[in-house]
Amino acid sequence: MRDISRRQAIIGLGAFTLVLAGCGEDEAPKKAADVSGNRAAAMANYGVNQQFKATEPISFDVLYNNHSFYPNKNDWLLWQELTKRTNVTLKPVEVPLSDYEKKRGLLVGSGQAPLIIPKTYHPQEEAFVASGAILPVSDYFDLMPNLKDKIAKWNMAPDLDTLRQADGRIYLLPGLHEEVWVDYTLAVRTDILEKLKLEVPKTWDDLYTVLKAMKAEYPDLYPMTDRWGVPTPGGNLLKLVAQAYGTKGGWEYQHATFDTASGKFVYTGAMPQYKQMIEYLAKLVKEKLLDPESFTQQDEQAKQKFNSGKSFVISANAQTIINDHRPTLTKLVPEAKMAKIPVPMGPVGEYKIGTRLENGVMISKKALENKNFVAMMQFVDWLWYSDQGQEFAKWGVEGVTYTKDGSGAYQLAKDVDFVGLNAGAPKHLQKDFGFSNGVFAYGGTTALLNSTFSAEELEFQKVMNARKAWPIEPPHPFNEEEREQATLWETPLKDYVTQQTLKFILGERDLGEWDAYVKELEGKNMTSYVNLVNTAYDRFKKEHG
């Protein structure tokens, strides 16, 4: 079981000081490079929620994750208005969504990456720390007043602590959410629930009961089929079930999980809770309640099964309900109704498990050589962290793409659609204007987050927000030597855990062999890996409090 540590409970303002200083008591402070000569075009008195505007026209390359649903257009209002407001022209270096991580790694590794490198999920930045290819951005937080303001106002120092490397510094500028936001869950055919006189399942045991009843009524069908099994088998489903037992699986899988009973990290794939997750899913497969193809099929296959009425439960989020299911489902099965249900609970109880940190921005080390470095950091701070920049990235231009009423509520322009809010409108906020773009629009206040939600989604959020937030695990950053060693062990370990997890779930390996499986992990350096993690954890705790 993961739980909050004493250090995290008392970290408070002291951690924020650490964010800025990044050093222990016995260690010389890490000093930021002198950038006094790199202030060309920077504002002299830039501050919180002040419109950033460079004092002269400047431009920066930005690595651009080109989404297939809204591919980049050079004439987007996003680009035009951004330049108008900030005097900055962004030059996107386009990389297809499907190839983004690989291409980003090649560009950063070769020193050819743009100065601004968004859409990076922690811990992906760790691969570039040792080489010095990216900046320790925490050295330059003083150039980013909006970022500092939100860290302090939302008490996010413990959250940022999880990004810290062995030198105490942070190398990724993360998106910041005011509160933990849960989006991914399950969608259920509520008309089938009504027909069978069943309640919406609140726990995973309830879901089992619901699936059994559906199977009894429709014996030739799998009541549940799932998506997001490629490239991570059971990506969302394993994540959700693992959370319910107090561990990590699927998309969220990490090798180490903090165990409060021992005050140490343990190996996730060998935890009793991980075995409980497997046992639950294996039971669903064995009783033909869960389609065994769920873990390997492409999304299109899963969607076709659900949308044609051949299954009744599937992983979902707010956008997939609107974009992937309802339009087709209501055509093919006119009587069908579906809903995104609150994440089912398990033994750990009523928690919402997630993070207030989003994917973030890396800054190339080359940026320090740019005469406009300070202006660039001010620009990044305004676009990604100011209230005005976040509103602009999400909603666009007031009077063109949206309006606000007297209460401050947002309303899309009548000719613009987004997530079905103006279904049938001739223009689309993402496709035709470039706003609500995943490269720029993430993080912010809960009010801004909720501003595009339907009444149905707001009700889901209300239920989830009533739950307690899952405590943050303590950091355990590797030094360069440890990272090199850990990298050699991680891939074989993860591949084996993934392979054997799937075999256990599908019944290809008997769960009576669990102890043998754990011994096999030991043969792949599991114990040495956990020892490495705990060494890093103990060192960081000693050096940084």
Side-chain angles (χ1 to χ4, degrees):
M1 289 282 292
R2 294 169 282 174
D3 204 346
I4 195 161
S5 67
R6 179 178 175 275
R7 187 185 70 81
Q8 289 169 306
I10 63 173
I11 198 162
L13 182 60
F16 184 55
T17 304
L18 174 60
V19 168
L20 301 179
C23 61
E25 291 180 7
D26 302 324
E27 186 181 0
K30 300 291 193 302
K31 292 183 180 179
D34 180 5
V35 294
S36 57
N38 303 75
R39 298 191 62 91
M43 291 177 64
N45 298 301
Y46 173 64
V48 175
N49 284 324
Q50 178 181 358
Q51 174 64 55
F52 167 77
K53 189 159 190 176
T55 59
E56 60 186 78
I58 54 176
S59 66
F60 303 110
D61 289 347
V62 59
L63 195 62
Y64 186 81
N65 188 356
N66 206 14
H67 201 295
S68 56
F69 184 68
Y70 48 95
N72 180 42
K73 296 179 181 177
N74 293 330
D75 63 352
W76 269 347
L77 182 60
L78 166 73
W79 304 125
Q80 298 168 15
E81 188 69 20
L82 191 61
T83 300
K84 178 181 174 183
R85 295 190 187 193
T86 66
N87 223 2
V88 173
T89 299
L90 284 183
K91 297 179 178 178
V93 176
E94 296 177 11
V95 177
L97 171 66
S98 59
D99 201 33
Y100 189 73
E101 288 183 25
K102 181 179 178 182
K103 183 70 171 178
R104 180 189 59 207
L106 291 172
L107 288 170
V108 175
S110 66
Q112 301 301 309
L115 298 187
I116 302 173
I117 311 164
K119 209 65 180 175
T120 299
Y121 290 84
H122 176 72
Q124 292 171 346
E125 81 280 9
E126 292 179 355
F128 312 116
V129 170
S131 67
I134 58 173
L135 279 188
V137 286
S138 54
D139 286 358
Y140 307 97
F141 279 3
D142 281 338
L143 302 177
M144 307 182 74
N146 289 290
L147 169 64
K148 287 176 63 176
D149 178 63
K150 284 182 167 56
I151 292 170
K153 186 164 56 181
W154 296 344
N155 190 27
M156 294 196 71
D159 302 73
L160 267 75
D161 216 19
T162 63
L163 304 179
R164 204 165 305 289
Q165 300 302 309
D167 61 3
R169 293 156 140 180
I170 293 169
Y171 289 76
L172 179 71
L173 293 167
L176 307 178
H177 285 288
E178 184 178 5
E179 297 179 274
V180 172
W181 169 42
V182 177
D183 186 17
Y184 287 79
T185 182
L186 302 178
V188 178
R189 281 277 301 275
T190 51
D191 59 304
I192 302 295
L193 294 182
E194 291 168 6
K195 176 181 176 181
L196 301 179
K197 296 182 171 53
L198 297 168
E199 297 292 326
V200 170
K202 293 183 179 179
T203 68
W204 290 99
D205 286 343
D206 291 344
L207 179 68
Y208 171 74
T209 301
V210 163
L211 295 174
K212 287 277 284 185
M214 289 175 168
K215 183 69 175 178
E217 183 71 13
Y218 301 94
D220 296 333
L221 302 180
Y222 287 108
M224 180 175 182
T225 196
D226 210 29
R227 62 183 303 181
W228 294 321
V230 179
T232 305
N236 182 58
L237 182 59
L238 266 67
K239 179 191 83 168
L240 297 180
V241 180
Q243 287 177 348
Y245 287 101
T247 187
K248 305 164 189 163
W251 285 336
E252 248 183 12
Y253 184 82
Q254 293 179 34
H255 292 282
T257 297
F258 193 70
D259 174 57
T260 49
S262 63
K264 296 286 185 183
F265 282 88
V266 297
Y267 194 75
T268 303
M271 292 174 70
Q273 295 93 329
Y274 194 84
K275 182 184 179 185
Q276 289 175 303
M277 172 203 75
I278 289 174
E279 287 171 334
Y280 178 83
L281 292 169
K283 178 172 70 171
L284 297 190
V285 171
K286 183 177 181 180
E287 298 185 24
K288 300 190 175 179
L289 307 179
L290 173 62
D291 182 357
E293 293 183 353
S294 295
F295 303 94
T296 53
Q297 67 188 350
Q298 297 292 332
D299 277 11
E300 281 306 314
Q301 292 174 273
K303 288 191 289 183
Q304 287 169 9
K305 290 174 183 177
F306 185 85
N307 292 342
S308 62
K310 293 179 181 176
S311 68
F312 311 123
V313 182
I314 193 169
S315 281
N317 63 29
Q319 290 204 33
T320 62
I321 294 277
I322 294 164
N323 296 334
D324 294 345
H325 295 303
R326 277 209 178 112
T328 306
L329 180 63
T330 51
K331 286 179 184 176
L332 298 178
V333 189
E335 72 278 10
K337 293 188 293 183
M338 67 180 296
K340 176 183 168 186
I341 67 169
V343 178
M345 295 174 290
V348 301
E350 293 193 34
Y351 280 97
K352 59 175 178 176
I353 300 176
T355 174
R356 293 196 290 169
L357 303 181
E358 260 282 6
N359 68 82
V361 180
M362 296 187 296
I363 302 295
S364 170
K365 185 71 175 290
K366 295 184 300 182
L368 280 179
E369 304 164 10
N370 193 298
K371 66 178 182 178
N372 302 127
F373 174 73
V374 173
M376 185 189 77
M377 297 304 284
Q378 291 177 343
F379 167 78
V380 169
D381 179 67
W382 178 82
L383 179 57
W384 272 279
Y385 297 104
S386 75
D387 291 346
Q388 299 94 328
Q390 290 173 338
E391 178 185 74
F392 167 75
K394 190 175 187 75
W395 279 95
V397 179
E398 189 168 6
V400 180
T401 58
Y402 75 97
T403 57
K404 273 184 176 179
D405 64 20
S407 68
Y410 297 85
Q411 180 67 49
L412 277 172
K414 291 182 179 179
D415 61 344
V416 179
D417 183 33
F418 176 60
V419 293
L421 294 175
N422 272 344
K427 298 176 184 176
H428 193 277
L429 187 65
Q430 293 171 308
K431 295 178 181 179
D432 297 304
F433 297 97
F435 298 109
S436 280
N437 186 319
V439 176
F440 307 112
Y442 46 82
T445 64
T446 300
L448 184 66
L449 174 69
N450 290 347
S451 64
T452 56
F453 290 163
S454 64
E456 177 186 19
E457 179 63 17
L458 288 172
E459 187 58 35
F460 170 85
Q461 294 297 329
K462 181 180 177 182
V463 173
M464 295 306 301
N465 287 337
R467 301 182 185 180
K468 295 176 288 185
W470 194 254
I472 302 167
E473 286 193 337
H476 53 279
F478 292 133
N479 61 30
E480 186 174 343
E481 183 180 337
E482 290 164 343
R483 165 50 54 201
E484 187 175 337
Q485 179 61 72
T487 300
L488 295 175
W489 290 337
E490 284 173 342
T491 299
L493 276 168
K494 186 171 183 180
D495 287 350
Y496 197 71
V497 169
T498 300
Q499 176 194 86
Q500 297 305 309
T501 296
L502 203 52
K503 285 188 174 183
F504 281 131
I505 290 172
L506 296 178
E508 295 171 4
R509 185 172 187 181
D510 192 280
L511 270 159
E513 297 183 26
W514 180 261
D515 291 344
Y517 154 73
V518 173
K519 286 182 180 178
E520 290 156 12
L521 289 177
E522 289 173 353
K524 295 182 180 296
N525 301 297
M526 173 185 75
T527 302
S528 298
Y529 181 87
V530 171
N531 289 340
L532 202 66
V533 171
N534 282 310
T535 298
Y537 162 60
D538 290 338
R539 180 183 60 245
F540 191 87
K541 184 170 58 171
K542 179 181 177 182
E543 292 179 354
H544 300 293

